[in-house]
Amino acid sequence: MSSTEYLDRIREEFHNRVCFTQKRRGLYQLIAPFYHEDGDMYDLFIEEAPAGQPVRLTDKGLTLMRLSYSYDVDTPNKERIFRQILREHDVQENDGELFMISSHDRTYETIMRFTRAITAITNMALYRREVVRSLFYEMFAEFVRGDLSRFAPVSSFVPISDRDDLDVDFLIPSDHKPIFLFGSKDDAKARLIAISCLEFLRSNVSFRSVVVHENFESLTSRDRKIITNVVDKQFTDLDDFQKRGPDYLRREVA
């Protein structure tokens, strides 16, 4: 099948709603009605292959470049979500370039999957909020057990022996005051943390309290005030804790 016949077949499969611009020998840009929110068209290219060989669909690195103008994949959680999107859509990535390999007779289906992947990636900020909302505690615990393992964290620590209803998410041992590390997803958990810390103080427990919020600004003004007046240190979200938490803990346990 010649290049012209191959591209003509793709046009037919799209009911003649697409066209191609040759960028160089063997590389064609697909002009198709797939748009970003600002009206710009998706960057889609087909790299021609010898007869019988798979073709390569690529964005030439332009999707991640575009995303970087408003959103950086600069934390372990963001990177994990990005990789999850790639896996779900069978997209490969190399030095910022996204691409998919397709047979000639399945190019239409591959283009459609590729555009869905680009949509998910360019909307990563929204996607991330949804994932973090449902997995906050799991991601918080995974980071503590993994990246903070050098601090020997102890999970589900109970400071008052007869009050197992007032446990601490993680104890960070220290030669000075131990650190009680909490994760807080919502108003209810923030209130429980405040109550727990007050009870620990009343029982003369020696500690410093650190709270990692899913989103501090989402708390009611009353709960923000209560927890701020009770605990020693707060991180406004998980990304903030991942960036600054390790250095903070290193200084505190030194």
Side-chain angles (χ1 to χ4, degrees), residues 14 18 30 32-36 39-44 111-112 115:
F14 278 99
V18 304
L30 172 62
F34 303 116
Y35 299 98
H36 295 286
D40 288 348
M41 191 172 292
Y42 283 8
D43 298 291
L44 303 167
I111 290 172
M112 297 306 294
T115 57

Side-chain angles (χ1 to χ4, degrees), residues 11-223:
R11 289 191 192 94
E12 292 175 2
E13 290 177 312
F14 278 99
H15 303 286
N16 294 313
R17 296 185 63 197
V18 304
C19 61
F20 295 91
T21 299
Q22 187 170 12
K23 308 303 290 185
R24 57 174 170 76
R25 184 178 178 83
L27 179 67
Y28 300 88
Q29 183 173 9
L30 172 62
I31 310 300
F34 303 116
Y35 299 98
H36 295 286
E37 289 186 357
D38 62 4
D40 288 348
M41 191 172 292
Y42 283 8
D43 298 291
L44 303 167
F45 302 85
I46 294 178
E47 292 184 340
E48 190 178 29
Q53 298 297 312
V55 296
R56 190 172 184 268
L57 275 67
T58 172
D59 73 338
K60 290 299 179 182
L62 296 173
T63 300
L64 290 181
M65 180 184 295
R66 180 187 183 87
L67 180 65
S68 69
Y69 297 150
S70 59
Y71 185 84
D72 291 321
V73 183
D74 57 357
T75 69
N77 284 333
K78 293 178 182 178
E79 178 70 20
R80 178 169 54 183
I81 293 168
F82 171 62
R83 296 297 167 186
Q84 178 181 333
I85 295 173
L86 296 185
R87 288 194 300 271
E88 289 176 350
H89 295 84
D90 295 323
V91 174
Q92 301 180 62
E93 182 267 338
N94 180 38
D95 197 24
E97 179 187 19
L98 307 179
F99 64 94
M100 298 183 73
I101 305 300
S102 174
S103 60
H104 281 76
D105 60 349
R106 297 189 65 85
T107 304
Y108 170 81
E109 291 87 347
T110 306
I111 290 172
M112 297 306 294
R113 286 193 290 123
F114 199 30
T115 57
R116 287 194 290 271
I118 290 175
T119 299
I121 290 167
T122 54
N123 286 286
M124 266 192 68
L126 174 61
Y127 185 84
R128 175 185 170 275
R129 286 195 295 271
E130 293 173 348
V131 172
V132 171
R133 186 175 296 114
S134 61
L135 298 178
F136 170 74
Y137 289 125
E138 290 87 343
M139 294 165 68
F140 167 64
E142 181 178 334
F143 179 74
V144 173
R145 294 190 180 107
D147 293 64
L148 302 183
S149 60
R150 63 186 181 276
F151 296 108
V154 177
S155 61
S156 301
F157 178 70
V158 179
I160 305 174
S161 59
D162 60 347
R163 291 297 306 273
D164 58 4
D165 58 319
L166 302 178
D167 65 334
V168 176
D169 292 332
F170 290 96
L171 164 71
I172 305 294
S174 172
D175 292 336
H176 309 294
K177 291 183 178 181
I179 296 173
F180 290 176
L181 180 61
F182 301 89
S184 177
K185 183 177 180 179
D186 49 31
D187 294 316
K189 181 61 182 293
R191 287 192 291 270
L192 177 59
I193 293 170
I195 292 170
S196 298
C197 289
L198 287 172
E199 288 297 314
F200 300 154
L201 291 171
R202 291 191 184 101
S203 299
N204 296 316
V205 175
S206 178
F207 70 100
R208 283 184 57 80
S209 51
V210 177
V211 179
V212 180
H213 294 278
E214 179 189 46
N215 181 0
F216 180 73
E217 297 302 324
S218 70
L219 299 179
T220 64
S221 59
R222 179 173 179 272
D223 287 310

